[in-house]
Structures are given as structure tokens and as C-alpha cells.
Amino acid sequence: MLLRHALVGAVILSASLPAAASDINNIGGLTQDEFRKLSQDLGAALSYKPLTPAEPLGLFGFDVGIAATTTKIENADVFQKAGAGDIANVAVPSVRFNLGLPLSLDVGVMAGAAPGTNIRLYGAELRWAFVKGGTAMPAIALRGSYTQLSGVDQLDLNTRGVDLSISKGFAFFTPYAGIGKVWVTSTPKDIPTAVPTEESLSLNKGFVGFNLNFVLVNIALEGDKTGDATSYGAKLGFRF
């Protein structure tokens, strides 16, 4: 019950935090340093969040759910100057689906949006559990991921990530953790000034979480640090 309340709270938080925000529509008003800071924060907030353990789903197994992530902004003044209003966090509710494939491969897709802004997001992952795990052995997986920002006319931003994760199930409880790297490409577009110009960033990533599966309900809770930004996420759905 406590976990269910935590998830509901995260979803409500994701919907309410950006209420004072507005569209990002003043990229041309930023200096190069400010644009880099904006790109770092957006890259951390919009990069792929696993919200799933390392163990494979198995052939045609699936994990489907609704999720919410919220990321503390390190440069709120830059967001305000870019037109996003007075916000301290970027919250992204999303829908997510993962499918098990042969050879211990899983593929996943997600789509979300930040309420009160013009931020839209979609992404995908491919994960290979090269150690499937078992009674005594944890699962170990390598993941490649991609996300793409849409909806912001003045900005083309995408992230590419790779991470190594480990998990070990204990009955219905499966803790997991991972480390990796995120590469952010952020390019201004359709602005009347020559500055700012494209930024390419490399951010370190670490995450920990746990998955709870109660047959009819699956819950995942996760903490993530990408670059200097900290994110928290929750997912509610079904996993078979």
C-alpha cells in the first residue's frame, strides 16, 4: 500500500510541478554557456530511464505500464530565460512497453510529455542479458538506448546511452543497479541569431531501483543521476 501511494504521489507530482511552466521558445536569447547548461539539464531529464531490472523477460514476455519521472533542474534561471517559466523540476509522465525476444534480448519503447510545456519525448532501448541469472547468479545486461525531443520548434535534441546493469530476484522483489554513459546532441534551429550553436555533451550515469511483481500488478521505483542532475521515477503496470 505504501508503494502504491508513492507511485500515485509521483504521478500527481509530475502533473502538478510544471503548472507554472510554458513553452521553450527563446533559444535565440541564450548565450552559448546558457545553451550548454540548458542542454545538460534537458539531456539528463529526457535521457532513457530503465525502470526495469536486468533479467530478461523471456520469449514474448512483456512489461507494460505507465510511468512518471521527475528531474531536479540545476539551472532554473536558464530555463526561465529560454521561456519555460519558473520551474524547479522537469516531470515527464509516459507510457512504456518492453517485449522479450530470443537470445535473451528485450526491446522497449516509450513516449511521454512534460505537462504545461511543449516538451514531447519518445525513445527506445535494446537490452541483452548476456548473463540471464538464476537461483544463485544475478542477471547482468548491456543496454543501448535512444531518446528524441519533439514539440520544441527551436530545438533538436537527442540522447544516446549505453549502460551495464545487474539485478537479482528474491521471490517477488528484484533490486537492480547500473552505470553507463549518455551522449547528448543539442542543436538550435529556426532562430534569427548565429548564437548559440550545437552542443555535444557526454554525461556519466548511475541508477538504482527495485521491481516488485505481484502477478497482477508490477511496480518499479528508481533513482537516477545523469551528469549533475538527479531523477526519480516510478512505474505501475503488468509484467509477465
Side-chain angles (χ1 to χ4, degrees):
M1 184 63 70
L2 179 62
L3 289 172
R4 189 183 296 272
H5 287 166
L7 180 71
V8 171
V11 173
I12 293 173
L13 183 66
S14 72
S16 62
L17 280 173
S22 58
D23 291 351
I24 296 176
N25 57 15
N26 189 34
I27 296 296
L30 303 179
T31 65
Q32 190 66 41
D33 182 62
E34 289 170 335
F35 181 67
R36 182 176 180 85
K37 291 177 179 177
L38 177 75
S39 301
Q40 286 175 331
D41 277 338
L42 281 176
L46 304 182
S47 60
Y48 199 90
K49 306 299 187 291
L51 288 168
T52 188
E55 64 187 41
L57 287 165
L59 185 60
F60 302 130
F62 67 89
D63 184 335
V64 60
I66 57 171
T69 62
T70 181
T71 303
K72 186 180 185 304
I73 297 305
E74 296 295 307
N75 303 282
D77 56 332
V78 176
F79 268 75
Q80 187 168 25
K81 187 174 179 180
D86 185 14
I87 60 172
N89 299 268
V90 172
V92 182
S94 63
V95 293
R96 305 173 70 101
F97 178 74
N98 289 72
L99 177 67
L101 301 177
L103 304 176
S104 299
L105 292 170
D106 286 4
V107 63
V109 293
M110 61 81 65
T117 77
N118 55 349
I119 293 174
R120 307 289 181 267
L121 175 70
Y122 59 88
E125 68 160 300
L126 179 64
R127 180 163 42 91
W128 174 41
F130 57 91
V131 177
K132 294 191 294 184
T135 304
M137 179 71 67
I140 305 174
L142 182 66
R143 178 190 352 259
S145 63
Y146 177 85
T147 64
Q148 176 69 53
L149 170 70
S150 64
V152 180
D153 293 338
Q154 296 184 352
L155 182 61
D156 181 7
L157 182 143
N158 66 72
T159 75
R160 291 159 290 120
V162 62
D163 65 72
L164 185 69
S165 62
I166 185 171
S167 69
K168 179 68 176 75
F170 302 93
F172 59 85
F173 175 68
T174 305
Y176 63 90
I179 57 172
K181 202 84 172 178
V182 174
W183 293 271
V184 182
T185 302
S186 181
T187 308
K189 61 179 184 177
D190 300 330
I191 60 174
T193 61
V195 177
T197 57
E198 179 178 294
E199 289 282 355
S200 296
L201 310 171
S202 176
L203 307 175
N204 292 323
K205 178 183 182 69
F207 57 92
V208 295
F210 61 88
N211 191 84
L212 292 167
N213 192 289
F214 301 105
V215 182
L216 294 178
V217 177
N218 188 79
I219 298 172
L221 298 175
E222 182 177 289
D224 175 287
K225 190 171 182 65
T226 299
D228 294 327
T230 300
S231 303
Y232 297 98
K235 184 179 67 176
L236 174 65
F238 304 95
R239 181 183 176 93
F240 294 99

